[in-house]
Each structure stands twice: as structure tokens, then as C-alpha cells.
Amino acid sequence: DIPSLSLLYKLNKLDASRSGPVEGAHPFYNEQIGLYRGDITKLDVDAIVNAANESLLGGGGVDGAIHRAAGPDLLEECRTLQGCFTGESKITSAYELPCKKVIHTVGPVYRASSAGKSRAALRGCYQSSLELALQHDVKTIAFSAISTGVYGYPSLEAAEVACDTVRRFMDAQGGLQLHKVIFVTFEEKDVRAYNRALPQYFPPP
Ligand code: AR6
């Protein structure tokens, strides 16, 4: 459990007296998917996911906030990574942050004219972050709303990609390893987007 989180959105608990699959419901997820609004650097989880750029050398937005809060050692480690391609992820220590690891992922700069390509790259961000999480024994992970800031990805579409990719990943791994996934939002538009997308991908019983 993560006591420091005040979850804005918590799906209904499954009635414990019911067993087996419930039509339209995925009991495993009910206590495992959260929506949080606020500063991701405050979260005491195993890993937070940074919305970085291909240089991995810091920037504005959530990337800037993470580097400021982690201290200069994070940049030192990032310098050794030789960047990261769009749609891929790399993991570092978290230094002065309360979390244990930082997963740096590079979202696409959104282009409406190649929305399919943007979507594939954004999906890659979530997928590769989740794979790194598994490899590093991360049980609780908090995602920033990748690409929805200066990279311009529309919030609802981005939230749908995030939810869909996490949902498929949890289905594929049987739900045994990741205990909690928290979608972290900062702006009202993203809170609204997740409030619409979450019940579609993680329907309550
Ligand atoms: N905690 C949680 N979320 C935040 C925080 C925070 N402290 N600050 C901003 N957000 P952005 P991108 C939200 O622009 O669109 C950087 O310069 C914000 O409201 O940080 O992927 C990088 O170096 C938005 O929902 O990232 C890249 O160059 C989300 O974080 C570029 O920006 C992502 O917004 C990446 O652009």
C-alpha cells in the first residue's frame, strides 16, 4: 500500500464472495489501478515514469521537475546512457527522490497527420516501461501523462493508449507481479481524460 497517495479515483472493490470471472469486470485490477493528481516527484513508489526527450539530459515539464527533485546525480547517470529512442525507455536510480527508480521514456511529438505513428510510439513508451519494471522487480509504478504536455498529444487519446497498453500487459502477465499502476495527472484536462478512459479499460464489476 502507498499511504502517501490520495487517490482521486478508485474503482469499486470486487465482492469477495464472488469468485471466477465476472462479466465485464476484471477483479484483479480493482485495487491496482489508481488515478492521482499532483506532483509525481512526491510519490513513494518503486518507480516513476519520466516523460523525457531523446537526449535524456533533462528539460522542462515533468522532466525538469524530476531532475530538480532528484539532484545532479541523476543527470550524471543519464549522461552515461547515450540517449533513448522515441517509444523506448531506460531506467536509472532515483537519488534524492522518494521513489526507488526512475524510468525515462521518450514520447512522440504528436502529429495529427501521422496519428497512427504517434500512437504506436506512445504505446511503445508504456510497453517498454512496463517491461523494464518487470525486469527490475518494480511492484508499484506511477506513470506521468507522457506526451500530453509540450509534445501535444491529445489527452483523451493519450489516456486511451495508456489504459489499453497497461490493461493488455496486465492480462498477459497474469497480474502476478505488478501490484499497482498509478496514472499521474497534473492538469484538469488529463484528469477528465482518465476519468473517461479508465472505466472503459478497467470496468468496475
Ligand atoms: N508531476 C506530474 N506531472 C507533471 C508535472 C509534475 N511535476 N509537471 C508536468 N506534468 P511534459 P511531454 C505533466 O510537457 O509532453 C520536456 O521538456 C503535464 O501536465 O512534461 O512528454 C522533456 O524534456 C503533462 O500532462 O512532457 C521533453 O523535451 C505531462 O506531465 C518534453 O518536455 C507531460 O508533459 C516532453 O514533452
Side-chain angles (χ1 to χ4, degrees), residues 63-184:
D63 194 11
I66 287 171
H67 275 273
R68 275 193 300 279
D73 290 345
L74 178 60
L75 183 57
E76 277 307 301
E77 184 174 355
C78 284
R79 283 192 205 286
T80 69
L81 300 177
Q82 280 142 343
C84 181
F85 292 116
T86 297
E88 298 183 6
S89 308
K90 294 196 176 175
I91 192 165
T92 66
S93 299
Y95 302 98
E96 291 170 41
L97 290 163
C99 60
K100 297 194 184 81
K101 296 276 182 190
V102 180
I103 294 172
H104 306 264
T105 195
V106 184
V109 176
Y110 183 76
R111 296 196 205 293
S113 57
S114 52
K117 210 174 145 201
S118 296
R119 191 184 314 114
L122 189 60
R123 180 177 288 286
C125 289
Y126 285 93
Q127 181 71 27
S128 59
S129 295
L130 291 164
E131 284 165 6
L132 273 179
L134 270 198
Q135 287 161 25
H136 291 265
D137 205 32
V138 166
K139 308 252 185 253
T140 54
I141 184 169
F143 280 97
S144 59
I146 299 152
S147 281
T148 65
V150 300
Y151 280 1
Y153 210 112
S155 291
L156 182 58
E157 281 90 327
E160 286 172 348
V161 170
C163 290
D164 187 54
T165 310
V166 167
R167 171 64 205 283
R168 287 171 193 271
F169 186 85
M170 291 180 108
D171 282 347
Q173 60 135 20
L176 295 172
Q177 283 129 39
L178 266 178
H179 293 172
K180 192 146 208 148
V181 175
I182 296 149
F183 295 108
V184 180

Side-chain angles (χ1 to χ4, degrees), residues 5-29:
L5 291 179
S6 63
L7 297 177
L8 279 182
Y9 182 102
K10 199 169 177 197
L11 292 163
N12 297 335
K13 286 187 182 174
L14 180 74
D15 180 348
S17 64
R18 287 152 90 186
S19 59
V22 178
E23 179 87 294
H26 302 279
F28 176 76
Y29 300 126

Side-chain angles (χ1 to χ4, degrees), residues 36-43 49-68 105-110 122 143-153 155 184-190 194:
Y36 176 78
R37 184 180 191 184
D39 185 356
I40 198 168
T41 68
K42 307 288 186 222
L43 300 185
V49 182
N50 180 20
N53 59 60
E54 287 194 343
S55 78
L56 297 186
L57 298 180
V62 70
D63 194 11
I66 287 171
H67 275 273
R68 275 193 300 279
T105 195
V106 184
V109 176
Y110 183 76
L122 189 60
F143 280 97
S144 59
I146 299 152
S147 281
T148 65
V150 300
Y151 280 1
Y153 210 112
S155 291
V184 180
T185 54
F186 208 60
E187 293 179 52
E188 180 69 38
K189 67 180 175 69
D190 297 290
Y194 276 93

